[in-house]
Amino acid sequence: MNRGPIILSIDEAEYLLDQVPPPEPDEDPMITKLRQKLSMLLAELRKGAEGTSSN
C-alpha cells in the first residue's frame, strides 16, 4: 500500500471529520477507516495543543 504523510492543524482535522458523512449501517469500509483515523489524529493533536494541561 502506498502511503504519504499529511500535516494538519486541529482546525483542518476537525473540518475534514465534519465533512465525512454520518455513520450508516452499510457504509463503505473506507469511510469507516477514514473516520477512525481522523478521530485518532484529532485526539492526538488536542493532547499536545497549547493551553491544555496534562494533569
Side-chain angles (χ1 to χ4, degrees), residues 6-25:
I6 296 178
I7 307 216
L8 299 172
S9 68
I10 291 174
D11 291 337
E12 292 165 334
E14 285 176 342
Y15 176 81
L16 285 177
L17 193 54
D18 287 344
Q19 299 310 304
V20 176
E24 295 179 2

Side-chain angles (χ1 to χ4, degrees), residues 9-51:
S9 68
I10 291 174
D11 291 337
E12 292 165 334
E14 285 176 342
Y15 176 81
L16 285 177
L17 193 54
D18 287 344
Q19 299 310 304
V20 176
E24 295 179 2
D26 61 340
E27 80 178 358
D28 186 325
M30 178 69 81
I31 293 175
T32 303
K33 188 174 182 179
L34 179 60
R35 181 184 292 107
Q36 291 170 343
K37 284 187 172 192
L38 284 170
S39 295
M40 287 172 29
L41 169 65
L42 196 51
E44 286 299 313
L45 287 173
R46 285 179 174 153
K47 269 194 225 175
E50 291 181 26

